[in-house]
Amino acid sequence: MMSRSEATNQPMVVRILGILALGAIGALTGFGFASIVEVEQGASWADSLALAMAVALLAIAVLSSLTLILRPSTVPKGCGILQIIVFLLAGVMFLAPIYGPTWMKADVVFGGIVVLLVVQSVANLMLWRAADEMLRQIMAETSAMAFWALQTALFLYAAAERLGLVDTISGWGLTGILMAVYLVASIVAAARRGIH
């Protein structure tokens, strides 16, 4: 992550290479997601949303890795690796229920997800402890924005469902929606603090 003032201090060649790298990663991510969606034409909207979240989380992990390698001084000390781990595990946990049963029994897949969730929770706690005040503020604002947006949407949806105006959404679908709202909230919270 980098602020606007830090970006202007970098040589033009570094900025151009950074833009090209981001473009290439974006193109590969888009191509990968389009390929997955093409293969999964019969997938439910909940699975399609989970795939989109997995691709987004894994792409963020790759971008975070590049940031850590190319600009280690712009990442709060001790946070870079933890952030990458959190994003990677979240992406894998979205993919596991969709693709895991192809290779192993559902209960084994679920057990693996539980283990990954425990590891991710520990990594999140370590990230909170290692974060500087600004990153902690962004994390708190993200949680607050996501909570209020989801609380409002859930109430309206529940009322519409009770009135028979909409169908029930599965827990899997709700989880995809939750992650999408959380990602948008994190982008808004980071942008408000000048992080691009």
Side-chain angles (χ1 to χ4, degrees):
M1 292 183 224
M2 165 174 59
S3 69
R4 191 174 295 152
S5 61
E6 288 167 334
T8 57
N9 292 336
Q10 291 187 334
M12 181 63 79
V13 174
V14 173
R15 285 189 278 175
I16 290 171
L17 289 174
I19 290 168
L20 290 174
L22 289 175
I25 290 169
L28 289 173
T29 301
F31 175 77
F33 183 65
S35 300
I36 290 169
V37 169
E38 187 177 336
V39 169
E40 299 290 332
Q41 284 299 320
S44 67
W45 71 266
D47 279 349
S48 296
L49 180 57
L51 283 171
M53 291 300 97
V55 168
L57 291 162
L58 294 173
I60 292 169
V62 170
L63 290 174
S64 298
S65 299
L66 287 174
T67 300
L68 186 63
I69 292 165
L70 299 175
R71 297 192 320 263
S73 62
T74 63
V75 179
K77 189 173 182 177
C79 291
I81 297 293
L82 291 171
Q83 285 178 316
I84 293 165
I85 289 169
V86 167
F87 287 127
L88 282 174
L89 291 177
V92 169
M93 285 188 288
F94 268 105
L95 292 175
I98 300 170
Y99 297 109
T102 304
W103 295 298
M104 55 192 89
K105 292 181 180 177
D107 56 347
V108 175
V109 174
F110 184 73
I113 291 170
V114 169
V115 170
L116 292 178
L117 185 60
V118 169
V119 172
Q120 189 200 39
S121 297
V122 170
N124 265 319
L125 289 172
M126 292 171 64
L127 178 59
W128 178 265
R129 291 187 64 190
D132 61 11
E133 191 56 38
M134 185 175 71
L135 186 55
R136 284 185 185 181
Q137 190 64 35
I138 290 170
M139 292 165 77
E141 286 180 14
T142 297
S143 297
M145 282 190 280
F147 171 78
W148 290 109
L150 289 165
Q151 179 189 40
T152 303
L154 179 60
F155 174 76
L156 292 174
Y157 172 79
E161 182 186 35
R162 179 65 179 92
L163 292 167
L165 301 174
V166 295
D167 293 329
T168 300
I169 297 178
S170 69
W172 184 236
L174 289 172
T175 299
I177 292 168
L178 178 136
M179 182 54 72
V181 170
Y182 191 84
L183 281 177
V184 170
S186 69
I187 291 166
V188 171
R192 288 183 62 206
R193 297 285 172 184
I195 296 175
H196 308 286

